[in-house]
């Protein structure tokens, strides 16, 4: 699998202008705090205003603003997992996972998505009853349900203690090896990168390194 992307964006005094090409199913995006990693992911996903964005997955162009291809976030074919999971507290686990169904042409069932993260039987649970690691796995299932062409994970281990982080890694490795969806993972921990990534990309001060 191959992924190429370029984002040019500005947030206040910070300017991002970074382009990468990579192969593999799990790509780690690393760099110091303030390098622009989250800005890059959100630019790809259409979650922030960006001056130019280009994204190609396996020779299929999903976004190319210079050519007028700039679909809204829910039509880009991307799954996004935020640092804090961002589950809807008023919805059950099943309701959270099913949230993207309305915009998906061929979604998984909630049961299929939950099975991928070993949370069968959790559909009727409430987010407040989950551990931090379980909440993160629900967020991953929600992102996978529409069958995205690319999965973006922004610090999926953030806020988890060592035990919960170590418990989450095998699920991402399982997705890497069994689900044919490439992923870009932002992480600041070398241990997580070594366990998960096939390719490592470096970002520093808004520029590709």
């Amino acid at each position: 699998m191959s992924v190429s992307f370029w984002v040019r964006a500005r947030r206040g005094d910070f300017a991002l202008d970074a382009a990468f090409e990579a192969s593999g199913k799990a790509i780690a995006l690393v760099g110091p705090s303030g390098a622009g990693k989250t800005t890059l992911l959100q630019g790809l996903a259409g979650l922030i205003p960006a001056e130019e964005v280009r994204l190609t997955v396996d020779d299929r162009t999903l976004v190319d603003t210079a050519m007028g291809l700039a679909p809204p976030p829910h039509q880009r074919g991307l799954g996004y997992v935020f640092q804090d999971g961002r589950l809807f507290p008023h919805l059950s686990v099943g309701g959270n996972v099913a949230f993207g169904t309305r915009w998906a042409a061929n979604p998984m069932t909630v049961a299929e998505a939950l099975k991928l993260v070993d949370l069968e039987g959790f559909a009727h649970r409430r987010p407040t009853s989950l551990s931090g690691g379980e909440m993160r796995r629900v967020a991953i299932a929600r992102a996978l349900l529409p069958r995205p062409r690319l999965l973006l994970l922004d610090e999926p281990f953030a806020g988890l203690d060592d035990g919960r982080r170590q418990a989450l890694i095998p699920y991402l490795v399982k997705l890497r090896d069994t689900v044919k969806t490439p992923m870009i993972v932002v992480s600041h921990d070398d241990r997580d990168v070594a366990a998960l990534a096939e390719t490592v990309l470096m970002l520093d001060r808004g520029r590709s390194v």
Side-chain angles (χ1 to χ4, degrees), residues 12-200:
D13 294 331
F14 178 78
L16 172 72
D17 190 345
F20 293 102
E21 292 186 13
S23 59
K25 298 185 292 294
I27 300 162
L29 182 63
V30 302
S33 296
K37 302 182 295 295
T38 294
T39 299
L40 194 154
L41 287 195
Q42 292 184 348
L44 291 175
L47 300 178
I48 61 169
E51 296 170 18
E52 284 197 66
V53 180
R54 185 170 63 243
L55 172 62
T56 300
V57 178
D58 281 341
D59 298 321
R60 175 167 178 171
T61 300
L62 303 182
V63 185
D64 189 340
T65 56
M67 300 298 293
L69 180 61
H74 63 278
Q75 293 179 355
R76 294 193 176 195
L78 305 177
Y80 199 106
V81 179
F82 294 90
Q83 289 185 20
D84 54 2
R86 297 196 188 181
L87 300 184
F88 300 112
H90 63 290
L91 296 178
S92 66
V93 165
N96 271 278
V97 174
F99 185 77
T101 303
R102 70 195 76 179
W103 299 296
N106 181 32
M108 300 179 188
T109 65
V110 169
E112 287 172 328
L114 288 175
K115 184 176 181 179
L116 287 174
V117 294
D118 287 349
L119 290 178
E120 299 100 318
F122 275 62
H124 298 293
R125 295 270 296 271
R126 310 298 296 187
T128 52
S129 73
L130 305 178
S131 70
E134 289 168 344
M135 291 178 68
R136 210 63 53 90
R137 284 153 58 193
V138 171
I140 292 169
R142 179 176 61 187
L144 288 171
L145 180 131
R147 303 184 194 271
R149 294 190 174 276
L150 178 66
L151 186 62
L152 307 176
L153 300 108
D154 188 5
E155 295 279 9
F157 308 103
L160 300 181
D161 59 32
D162 284 347
R164 289 193 173 98
R165 193 187 77 250
Q166 289 299 323
L168 181 59
I169 287 174
Y171 294 103
L172 293 180
V173 171
K174 174 185 173 183
L175 295 178
R176 181 194 69 190
D177 294 340
T178 62
V179 179
K180 298 186 181 300
T181 303
M183 63 179 76
I184 299 176
V185 183
V186 166
S187 180
H188 66 275
D189 194 310
D190 292 341
R191 296 170 298 173
D192 302 331
V193 172
L196 182 62
E198 298 173 324
T199 304
V200 179

